[in-house]
């Protein structure tokens, strides 16, 4: 395997530029910008607040009296590179989350960093301000990348559909990703990677972008996937058109709004229906059902993302057919009525693996408890991740 130093390096662009925005609330500005402990030059910023107006009741008149006209000034620091880095580090250390970022590769600086402070991308990258980028994710289990090549193939298909050319050939991209995970020393987590049109300007067209950019981050998640059953809702947020639904792009606003809608109603996720009213998918996972006849049923992939984990589940489910726990496995259009009358429903994806659904809208699924087929499929996936064939497990170099 080629070392990183021997890989072709794209045109370098400085990864650091500070753009400091401020909400309209002056108290927030004061708290955020008056950073203690670091010397800095200051550029004056005037923030005008609307005048505080009250009406004084005067008999026989309609007079309005202005009691105060508040104009407040704040100093916005003009930071040096070292000061920006110090603040980025402080900001990262103050975050609270369940994920640790262990390593990042960026073709912008042509290497790997293990300092989360430097895990940044340029603001003028068209993936940031135009959403012109694609991504994918592979699970890391016991020093192996699970279904890595399957995910990379989908990643490159998405890039082709998004008209993003490759900064390197497939084998070089694959080597970069494997080395990034190896450097991180992560044994259990995930590898997420992006291809973007690259940095260049803030125009709509990427014609002035220097060249496409490749990014990758190794994430160690402190909270393993849960087996506990969840509640889902039918999404009122429209599903993405087929051309975009089958592509794993960074345009995830519909997905985000769909997920938020479910959470606001006390659920875990929302279920999209396609333009014909058939069951489609969740915001970041596929959907599957077990019918009363013990048939595993999954919606067609022609209008939704072709889930790597979902397809692997379909293969592994054949073992349950042999054992008599399932009567068969089918992929076809599924009506909402069929879905809600199923004996089991589950969400399937690399982030959730297999997650039972106990309730859809106001309708209980089956007996309202986690089902035996969902549990069996989860065990099959976990076993496959640990001891599956070489076609789905790529070893990481020590």
């Amino acid at each position: 395997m080629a070392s990183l130093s021997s890989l072709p390096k794209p045109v370098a662009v400085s990864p650091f530029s500070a753009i400091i925005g401020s909400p309209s609330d002056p108290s927030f500005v004061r708290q955020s910008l008056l950073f203690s402990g670091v010397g800095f030059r200051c550029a004056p910023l005037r923030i005008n607040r609307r005048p505080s107006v009250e009406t004084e009741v005067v008999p026989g008149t309609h007079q309005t009296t202005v009691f105060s006209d508040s104009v407040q000034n704040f100093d916005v620091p003009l930071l040096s590179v070292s000061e920006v880095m110090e603040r980025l580090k402080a900001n990262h250390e103050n975050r609270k989350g369940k994920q640790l970022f262990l390593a990042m590769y960026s073709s912008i600086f042509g290497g790997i960093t293990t300092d989360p402070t430097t895990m940044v991308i340029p603001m003028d990258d068209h993936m940031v301000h135009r959403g012109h980028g694609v991504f994918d994710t592979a699970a890391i289990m016991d020093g192996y990348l699970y279904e890595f090549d399957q995910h990379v193939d989908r990643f490159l298909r998405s890039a082709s559909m998004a008209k993003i050319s490759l900064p390197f050939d497939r084998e070089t991209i694959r080597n970069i990703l494997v080395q990034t995970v190896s450097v991180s020393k992560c044994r259990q987590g995930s590898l997420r990677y992006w291809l973007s049109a690259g940095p260049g300007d803030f125009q709509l067209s990427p014609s002035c972008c220097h060249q496409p950019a490749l990014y990758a981050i190794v994430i160690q998640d402190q909270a393993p996937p849960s087996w506990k059953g969840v509640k889902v809702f039918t999404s009122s947020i429209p599903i993405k058109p087929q051309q975009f639904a089958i592509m794993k792009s960074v345009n995830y606003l519909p997905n985000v709004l769909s997920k938020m809608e479910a959470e606001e109603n006390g659920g875990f996720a929302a279920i999209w229906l396609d333009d014909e009213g058939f069951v489609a998918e969740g915001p970041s996972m596929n959907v599957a059902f077990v019918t009363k006849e013990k048939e595993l049923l999954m919606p067609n992939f022609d209008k939704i993302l072709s889930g790597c984990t979902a397809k692997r589940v379909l293969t592994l489910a054949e073992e349950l057919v042999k054992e008599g726990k399932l009567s068969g496995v089918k992929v076809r259009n599924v009506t909402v009525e069929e879905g809600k009358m199923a004996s089991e429903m589950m969400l399937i994806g690399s982030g959730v693996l297999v997650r039972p659904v106990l309730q859809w809208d106001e309708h209980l699924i089956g007996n309202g408890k986690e089902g035996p087929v969902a549990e069996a499929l989860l065990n099959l996936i976990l076993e496959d991740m640990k001891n599956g064939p070489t076609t789905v497990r790529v070893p990481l170099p020590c």
Side-chain angles (χ1 to χ4, degrees):
M1 181 181 297
S3 66
L4 281 174
S5 60
S6 66
L7 296 176
K9 292 181 173 56
V11 177
V13 178
S14 173
F16 306 115
S17 61
I19 298 179
I20 300 178
S22 57
S24 58
D25 180 6
S27 64
F28 179 90
V29 175
R30 182 186 303 110
Q31 180 181 1
S32 300
L33 298 184
L34 297 184
F35 190 93
S36 61
V38 180
F40 50 77
R41 295 163 290 166
C42 296
L45 170 69
R46 171 163 289 188
I47 299 176
N48 296 320
R49 300 178 64 182
R50 292 184 177 181
S52 175
V53 179
E54 295 183 17
T55 302
E56 182 180 26
V57 179
V58 179
T61 68
H62 298 282
Q63 296 179 346
T64 300
T65 303
V66 178
F67 286 100
S68 65
D69 187 0
S70 174
V71 177
Q72 300 186 12
N73 295 324
F74 298 95
D75 288 331
V76 179
L78 181 60
L79 304 174
S80 67
V81 172
S82 61
E83 290 165 344
V84 169
M85 292 300 298
E86 184 173 341
R87 292 189 178 203
L88 284 172
K89 184 175 182 179
N91 178 275
H92 179 80
E93 291 174 348
N94 288 333
R95 296 180 193 174
K96 295 181 180 179
K98 297 178 180 179
Q99 294 184 330
L100 299 177
F101 309 137
L102 303 183
M104 175 190 178
Y105 169 84
S106 168
S107 63
I108 300 303
F109 47 79
I112 299 170
T113 176
T114 57
D115 183 353
T117 303
T118 58
M119 296 180 186
V120 296
I121 64 176
M123 280 295 296
D124 63 341
D125 191 303
H126 277 232
M127 183 169 68
V128 176
H129 63 87
R130 296 299 181 191
H132 195 179
V134 298
F135 77 101
D136 221 302
T137 306
I140 304 166
M141 174 68 78
D142 296 336
Y144 285 80
L145 280 163
Y146 185 63
E147 288 204 295
F148 180 50
D149 286 301
Q150 292 85 341
H151 283 275
V152 169
D153 288 340
R154 185 175 65 179
F155 180 55
L156 299 183
R157 287 197 304 271
S158 293
S160 177
M161 286 187 279
K163 296 185 178 181
I164 299 173
S165 59
L166 305 183
F168 313 111
D169 60 36
R170 184 190 188 279
E171 190 60 25
T172 300
I173 290 174
R174 190 181 185 278
N175 286 342
I176 289 171
L177 298 178
V178 168
Q179 288 184 59
T180 303
V181 181
S182 178
V183 167
S184 76
K185 302 189 184 304
C186 181
R187 301 287 296 175
Q188 192 150 322
S190 61
L191 168 68
R192 182 161 294 187
Y193 37 99
W194 297 260
L195 272 170
S196 84
D201 55 27
F202 289 92
Q203 300 301 318
L204 186 62
S205 169
S207 58
C208 290
C209 292
H210 301 296
Q211 70 178 78
L214 172 68
Y215 306 104
I217 284 187
V218 179
I219 304 165
Q220 180 175 297
D221 201 324
Q222 304 293 81
S226 173
W227 159 248
K228 185 179 179 181
V230 295
K231 180 178 181 180
V232 298
F233 290 90
T234 303
S235 177
S236 70
I237 307 299
I239 190 171
K240 288 182 280 191
Q242 180 181 9
Q243 179 181 359
F244 301 105
I246 63 175
M247 180 196 317
K248 199 168 178 67
S249 75
V250 299
N251 294 293
Y252 257 48
L253 183 56
N255 310 61
V256 170
L257 294 177
S258 177
K259 174 73 169 175
M260 291 177 67
E261 179 184 48
E263 292 177 341
E264 288 163 359
N265 287 285
F268 177 76
I271 303 301
W272 269 320
L273 308 181
D274 68 18
D275 55 354
E276 296 181 88
F278 292 113
V279 179
E281 61 183 340
S284 61
M285 66 286 288
N286 293 99
V287 187
F289 303 91
V290 179
T291 67
K292 294 290 194 296
E293 295 74 33
K294 294 186 178 180
E295 186 175 66
L296 181 67
L297 196 56
M298 202 174 290
N300 283 318
F301 295 109
D302 57 344
K303 296 180 181 179
I304 60 177
L305 189 68
S306 179
C308 294
T309 306
K311 287 189 170 183
R312 187 60 182 165
V313 164
L314 290 172
T315 299
L316 296 173
E318 295 294 343
E319 182 65 29
L320 301 185
V321 176
K322 294 177 183 178
E323 296 173 3
K325 295 178 181 178
L326 286 174
S327 63
V329 178
K330 280 191 179 178
V331 176
R332 63 168 174 81
N333 287 333
V334 182
T335 67
V336 173
E337 183 181 8
E338 281 183 295
K340 290 187 175 180
M341 293 301 295
S343 59
E344 289 187 49
M345 177 179 180
M346 61 202 83
L347 304 174
I348 300 174
S350 58
V352 295
L353 296 184
V354 178
R355 190 80 183 261
V357 174
L358 310 185
Q359 183 175 333
W360 183 0
D361 293 332
E362 300 308 317
H363 191 94
L364 285 180
I365 303 298
N367 60 7
K369 297 180 180 179
E370 293 85 352
V373 174
E375 183 176 12
L377 289 174
L378 175 62
N379 290 334
L380 285 172
I381 276 286
L382 289 173
E383 176 62 22
D384 199 49
M385 294 176 77
K386 293 179 180 179
N387 300 300
T390 55
T391 54
V392 296
R393 296 175 75 237
V394 174
L396 294 166
C398 299

